[in-house]
Amino acid sequence: MPPVDRSCLRIPYRLLLQRYAAVDDAEDDLLELVRQVAGADAAVCWKEDIEHSNPWFHTLILYVSASLGEFSHAQHGALMDRLRALDLA
């Protein structure tokens, strides 16, 4: 089994739209969550995966780069806990 890429997070659009009026409305909150766990200089790249004909499978993909290097297992766990608290994971 290949290693898990902790720096790539997939958030289902359906969950984002249950919490926010639009996916764009979630971006500031998501960036803040990432910076809280990965550092103020953490970088996030956004990508949408909306090619599937069924919207159930549409996702927002976040690529996280921690401010001090690798996005650690502990940081990933903390971010996932925060996403679950918002019902986004």
Side-chain angles (χ1 to χ4, degrees):
M1 177 180 270
V4 173
D5 182 1
R6 289 186 303 270
S7 66
C8 178
L9 304 170
R10 300 178 69 88
I11 302 173
Y13 264 26
R14 60 186 163 74
L15 297 179
L16 287 168
L17 295 175
Q18 286 173 4
R19 183 160 186 86
Y20 298 93
V23 173
D24 289 344
D25 296 341
E27 291 179 354
D28 287 338
D29 288 349
L30 294 172
L31 181 57
E32 179 61 26
L33 288 177
V34 169
R35 289 186 170 163
Q36 286 173 3
V37 299
D41 295 330
V44 178
C45 294
W46 312 89
K47 181 180 175 189
E48 297 176 327
D49 182 358
I50 56 173
E51 294 180 12
H52 198 282
S53 60
N54 184 341
W56 178 266
F57 297 105
H58 294 179
T59 58
L60 177 66
I61 305 168
L62 307 180
Y63 296 97
V64 179
S65 176
S67 59
L68 297 175
E70 183 180 341
F71 189 54
S72 73
H73 180 72
Q75 289 170 322
H76 179 265
L79 181 56
M80 291 306 296
D81 288 344
R82 292 172 189 220
L83 290 172
R84 279 190 284 277
L86 294 174
D87 294 325
L88 296 178

